[in-house]
């Protein structure tokens, strides 16, 4: 997760940690942790919506490195994948952010100081107006299908495997119930006596464990 990772009460970190439809409820802070290794992506990645319906394929699906039309108003929201690069995740999130700004959302919200690079998510002022969220619903990325309990019959064991992977690599967390996105969702939070020393290094570990646990890839 991010270099300037904020923690809600209870020493939890946010994840996919991720909102019900486009209400952005998760922007208030989640109790579950999970997967992106990019320092600038936490606010938005923690706000990915739930969906039980298969989403249209999105971006680089043909291996060309070019975005497809998924995410436009006609095609529906883009679908993130477990093996996405940070560049692709950020690009999808930035497209959503740009749409929000074009419809009245304001920049200058909490986040790293300084100018935002091209292709990086924006720091938006919350709450984001409904008048901005509604027309941008088709650009809000869906989280990886493997992390949707309704689509993954092995979801619980995958979630447990992620925690085991993190603990084996020295990130001392434990499994917790997380209904912020899915009614039967699971997340993880830090042990009470755990001290985080290397947020960037742990971000890489979290991303690796997410991929290993939910896809079987090491």
């Amino acid at each position: 997760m991010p270099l300037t990772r904020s923690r809600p009460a209870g020493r939890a970190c946010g994840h996919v940690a991720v909102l019900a439809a486009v209400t952005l409820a998760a922007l208030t802070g989640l109790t579950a942790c999970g997967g992106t290794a990019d320092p600038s992506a936490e606010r938005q990645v923690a706000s990915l919506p739930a969906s039980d319906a298969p989403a249209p394929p999105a971006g680089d699906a043909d291996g060309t490195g070019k975005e497809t039309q998924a995410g436009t108003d006609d095609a529906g929201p883009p679908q993130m994948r477990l093996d996405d690069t940070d560049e692709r995740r950020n690009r999808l999130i930035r497209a959503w952010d740009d749409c929000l700004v074009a419809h009245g959302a304001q920049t200058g919200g909490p986040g790293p100081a300084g100018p935002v690079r091209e292709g990086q998510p924006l720091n938006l002022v919350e709450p984001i107006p409904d008048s901005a969220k509604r027309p941008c619903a088709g650009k809000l990325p869906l989280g990886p299908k493997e992390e949707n309990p309704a689509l993954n019959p092995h979801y619980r064991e995958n979630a447990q495997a992620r925690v085991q992977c993190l603990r084996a690599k020295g990130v001392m967390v434990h499994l917790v119930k997380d209904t912020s996105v899915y009614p039967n969702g699971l997340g993880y939070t830090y042990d009470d006596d755990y001290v985080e020393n290397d947020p960037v290094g742990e971000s890489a570990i979290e991303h690796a464990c997410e991929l290993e646990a939910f896809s079987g890839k090491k």
Side-chain angles (χ1 to χ4, degrees):
M1 291 240 183
L3 188 60
T4 55
R5 171 165 31 180
S6 60
R7 292 180 179 173
R11 292 173 54 77
C13 57
H15 172 53
V16 115
V18 118
L19 198 156
V22 292
T23 61
L24 307 190
L27 295 182
T28 60
L30 301 182
T31 57
C33 303
T36 179
D38 183 83
S40 61
E42 180 175 85
R43 177 188 65 81
Q44 295 88 345
V45 173
S47 308
L48 300 181
S51 174
D52 292 345
D60 338 316
D62 56 2
T64 63
K66 297 180 179 179
E67 287 298 324
T68 64
Q69 292 302 308
T72 66
D73 292 338
D74 295 333
Q79 178 75 59
M80 286 189 174
R81 303 186 297 264
L82 279 177
D83 60 354
D84 269 341
T85 62
D86 291 333
E87 179 185 6
R88 181 176 182 271
R89 288 192 178 192
N90 284 340
R91 187 165 65 246
L92 295 179
I93 295 165
R94 178 59 181 269
W96 174 48
D97 283 350
D98 286 342
C99 180
L100 292 172
V101 170
H103 288 86
Q106 300 296 312
T107 59
V116 177
R117 300 194 307 273
E118 182 67 28
Q120 295 293 309
L122 301 173
N123 300 319
L124 301 183
V125 175
E126 301 163 13
I128 296 171
D130 288 340
S131 58
K133 289 186 288 187
R134 282 193 297 268
C136 298
K139 292 184 180 295
L140 177 56
L142 299 172
K145 295 179 181 180
E146 293 87 347
E147 295 182 359
N148 183 338
L151 299 179
N152 180 3
H154 306 291
Y155 172 80
R156 184 175 184 83
E157 60 191 78
N158 292 159
Q160 292 172 329
R162 179 169 57 187
V163 167
Q164 293 170 356
C165 174
L166 287 165
R167 295 185 69 87
K169 296 180 184 298
V171 182
M172 308 312 291
V173 298
H174 55 274
L175 198 69
V176 294
K177 185 176 182 179
D178 175 26
T179 59
S180 56
V181 177
Y182 304 108
N184 55 342
L186 295 169
Y188 58 88
T189 190
Y190 292 102
D191 291 358
D192 288 340
D193 58 353
Y194 178 68
V195 178
E196 180 187 45
N197 295 314
D198 180 11
V200 175
E202 288 186 12
S203 293
I205 292 173
E206 288 170 353
H207 188 66
C209 285
E210 178 191 29
L211 187 61
E212 177 180 327
F214 283 89
S215 71
K217 296 179 181 180
K218 297 184 177 181

